[in-house]
Amino acid sequence: LVAPRFGAGLAKRHSGRALLTLGLLITLAGDLLLCLFAWLDATYAVTVIGMLLAGIGAGLLNSETAKAMQTAVPTQRAGMASGIGATVRFVGLLVAVAGLGAALSRTISHQFMAMSEHLGLGHRAATAVAHKVAAGQFGAALASVSESLRPGLHAAASAAFARGFAAVSLSAAVVAGIAAACAFLLVRHSDTAPIAEDSAPSSME
C-alpha cells in the first residue's frame, strides 16, 4: 500500500528499467529471508521482516509494470498493450499460485513421509496421513494414528511445513532473480526514461 507512493516519486528521477530491477531485487531479498527464516524455524515476528521486504518489492512492481509497458509501445497501441499486460499478469499469478502450491504440497508430503516412517509409522499409513498434513488438516491427520505417536508426528508435520515453505520461497527467489536480470538486460532505458515535467505536453494543447 505504501510502496507505490514512493515508487511514484522515484519514477520522476529513474527509468522504468531501474525501478523494475530494483523491485525484483527487493522481492528476491524478501524471498531469501523467508526461506532462511522458515528453514531456521524462526518466530512469526521475525518472519514478518521477509514478508515486508517482499511486499515492498511487489508494491514497486505493481506501480511500474503497466507504466513501463505503456511507454515502450506507440501511442496507438496503448490499448492493446494494456490488455496484453493485464492478461499476462493474471495468467502469471494463476500459474505461480498453482505451481508454488503444488511444490509446497509435494515437499511437505515427501518430508513428512520420510520423518514419519522413521518414527515407526508404516508406509501406507504415512502416505494417508501425509496427504492430510499437506492439506493443513493436522487434527484429522493425527486423529488417525495411535496416541503414542502423535507428539512426534506433530513435530514432524511442523518441520515438514517449514521445509516446504522454505523450498517454495527459494523457488520464488530464483524466479525473481531471473526476472530482475531480464528486466535489466531487455528493458531499454531510453524507452522507460522519466519524462521531464517541462517537456510533458500541456493540457491546453
Side-chain angles (χ1 to χ4, degrees):
L1 295 175
V2 178
R5 294 180 177 271
F6 291 100
L10 292 173
K12 297 177 181 178
R13 302 186 300 274
H14 303 283
S15 67
R17 181 180 76 166
L19 293 181
L20 289 174
T21 304
L22 176 62
L24 287 164
L25 290 178
I26 293 175
T27 303
L28 166 64
D31 289 335
L32 288 177
L33 282 179
L34 287 174
C35 174
L36 177 63
F37 294 151
W39 189 261
L40 297 177
D41 196 21
T43 63
Y44 286 119
V46 175
T47 305
V48 165
I49 299 173
M51 297 176 67
L52 284 173
L53 271 181
I56 290 171
L60 288 176
L61 293 173
N62 284 337
S63 64
E64 191 60 33
T65 303
K67 179 183 174 183
M69 180 174 290
Q70 293 290 336
T71 56
V73 299
T75 304
Q76 63 270 24
R77 297 291 182 88
M80 182 185 298
S82 178
I84 292 175
T87 300
V88 171
R89 176 178 294 188
F90 284 115
V91 170
L93 286 171
L94 291 174
V95 171
V97 170
L100 293 177
L104 176 63
S105 177
R106 180 179 179 84
T107 304
I108 291 173
S109 297
H110 178 75
Q111 293 288 337
F112 179 80
M113 285 184 63
M115 289 183 282
S116 62
E117 289 181 12
H118 182 72
L119 291 172
L121 195 64
H123 179 76
R124 181 176 297 181
T127 302
V129 175
H131 289 305
K132 295 179 180 179
V133 169
Q137 301 173 353
F138 274 57
L142 297 179
S144 61
V145 300
S146 62
E147 192 170 346
S148 61
L149 292 175
R150 290 178 186 176
L153 291 178
H154 188 277
S158 298
F161 253 98
R163 293 182 183 181
F165 191 77
V168 167
S169 299
L170 181 60
S171 299
V174 170
V175 172
I178 294 173
C182 290
F184 183 78
L185 295 174
L186 301 179
V187 178
R188 289 181 293 188
H189 173 83
S190 58
D191 287 338
T192 59
I195 301 175
E197 293 183 2
D198 56 357
S199 64
S202 172
S203 60
M204 297 296 292
E205 296 179 355

